[in-house]
Amino acid sequence: YRILDGNDDQRIAEAIRDVNAISSDTNGDLWVGTANGLAKLNRGEQTFRMYTSEKGEEHSLAHNFVTAVFEDRSRMLWVATMGGGTSRFHLDRYWFPHIRFSGNGEGLPHPSIWSMAASNDDGKVWIGTERGVTRWADNSQSFESLPKLEQTNAPYAVSLLEDQKGNLWIGTKGEGLIRIDAGGQMTRFEANQNRSNSIGHNYISELYEDKQGDIWIGTYGGGLYRYDSFREIFLAQETVTPLSMSIIIR
C-alpha cells in the first residue's frame, strides 16, 4: 500500500480522482473505491492509505478498479472489482484473501462485480455481476445459485437489495427491475411508454428501502421512482427541475 498525507493535495487528487464507491465501516473509517485502488481515510490524522493490486503479491487487492465496498454482519469488508472478482478481509486485519472467477460454474458467474447486498438469511451476501447474481454462504464457504435466474438470460446486475419481507430486487443494465420473492417467484418490471405507472427506464442504477418499507428506485436516464407495493405501480418523484434528476448513479 501507499500512504498519502492530508497536505499532499495533488497526489491525493490523482489517486482518488475517479471514485466509484464510498462506504463507512463500523470502526468509523471511510473507504473510497476508485479506478486506481482502494483508499482508507483516517479521520483523526486526515491521511489516506491506498491499497492496490501488486503483481506477485498474493494478498494485495484483487484488482485496482474498485466498483463497490460493503461491510457484512461479521465485520468483513468486501471490495468488489471490475475483472478481478472480490477481495475481502476482516476489519482487524489488512491482507486480502480473494474470491475469483473460476469458470467452472461453481463460483462467481463473472469476474466483474457491480453490486453487493446483505441477505436476511444468516449473514449471507448477495453478489451481482455482469452475468447474473449469486449468494455467498460464509458458513459453508460456497456459492448458492438462483434457479429462476438460471432459466433466463443472466442479467447484468448493477444494483441489489433484499428487503424486509425477504424479496430480492435486482436492478439491471437495460433489462429492467427483477423481483424474486421469498418463495422463489420471479417478476420482471420494464419501462412501458403505454403505461403511465410503469418504471421510467430499464437501466436501474440504485435501490433503497426506507424505514417504512418503501422501495426507492434510481434509474440512469428516467429519474427517481417509489414502488407502491399495494397497487404494484411505480410513482415518479417529480421535482421543480425534472431534468436535473433524470440520471441517478451511486
Side-chain angles (χ1 to χ4, degrees):
Y1 59 80
R2 294 178 291 134
I3 298 177
L4 306 178
D5 64 44
N7 296 319
D8 198 340
D9 293 338
Q10 183 176 354
R11 291 177 65 201
I12 291 174
E14 290 175 357
I16 61 172
R17 179 177 56 190
D18 299 318
V19 175
N20 301 315
I22 300 175
S23 180
S24 181
D25 66 28
T26 50
N27 290 337
D29 292 320
L30 188 71
W31 297 88
V32 183
T34 80
N36 303 299
L38 177 68
K40 175 188 174 184
L41 173 65
N42 184 312
R43 296 180 190 270
E45 299 177 1
Q46 289 298 296
T47 58
F48 276 96
R49 176 170 291 182
M50 290 295 300
Y51 296 89
T52 56
S53 177
E54 303 293 338
K55 188 176 181 180
E57 293 190 19
E58 180 183 356
H59 295 301
S60 66
L61 198 64
H63 195 285
N64 281 335
F65 197 110
V66 177
T67 56
V69 183
F70 168 76
E71 181 185 356
D72 68 20
R73 294 171 185 171
S74 64
R75 301 186 71 242
M76 187 75 72
L77 194 76
W78 294 71
V79 184
T81 74
M82 184 176 71
T86 179
S87 296
R88 64 191 192 114
F89 67 96
H90 197 275
L91 290 175
D92 295 334
R93 307 184 186 97
Y94 292 100
W95 54 278
F96 297 87
H98 310 304
I99 300 175
R100 297 189 184 274
F101 172 70
S102 63
N104 61 10
E106 297 180 357
L108 288 172
H110 194 275
S112 291
I113 299 171
W114 292 98
S115 52
M116 291 181 290
S119 171
N120 297 331
D121 184 2
D122 196 27
K124 297 177 182 179
V125 176
W126 292 108
I127 300 174
T129 78
E130 287 189 18
R131 198 173 296 155
V133 177
T134 188
R135 185 166 64 171
W136 172 260
D138 199 57
N139 55 358
S140 63
Q141 297 285 292
S142 62
F143 289 97
E144 301 172 349
S145 61
L146 291 171
K148 285 286 183 180
L149 280 183
E150 290 181 346
Q151 297 171 13
T152 64
N153 291 328
Y156 192 131
V158 179
S159 52
L160 289 172
L161 170 71
E162 183 173 328
D163 66 23
Q164 300 170 18
K165 299 176 182 177
N167 299 312
L168 176 65
W169 298 82
I170 305 169
T172 75
K173 182 180 181 180
E175 299 178 64
L177 178 63
I178 297 170
R179 181 186 64 196
I180 301 177
D181 66 24
Q185 183 65 37
M186 186 176 75
T187 305
R188 188 186 295 267
F189 303 96
E190 295 179 297
N192 186 337
Q193 294 182 349
N194 297 320
R195 291 185 56 195
S196 60
N197 291 315
S198 72
I199 200 162
H201 202 284
N202 284 330
Y203 192 139
I204 311 300
S205 55
E206 190 59 88
L207 294 166
Y208 175 76
E209 181 181 23
D210 64 24
K211 293 180 180 179
Q212 288 71 43
D214 290 331
I215 307 298
W216 295 80
I217 302 101
T219 72
Y220 195 88
L224 178 67
Y225 291 79
R226 179 172 62 85
Y227 177 65
D228 184 328
S229 60
F230 181 74
R231 294 185 289 170
E232 291 209 334
I233 60 174
F234 296 90
L235 303 174
Q237 304 303 297
E238 301 294 342
T239 64
V240 176
T241 55
L243 290 178
S244 66
M245 283 184 58
S246 64
I247 297 177
I248 297 172
I249 59 177
R250 284 190 288 126

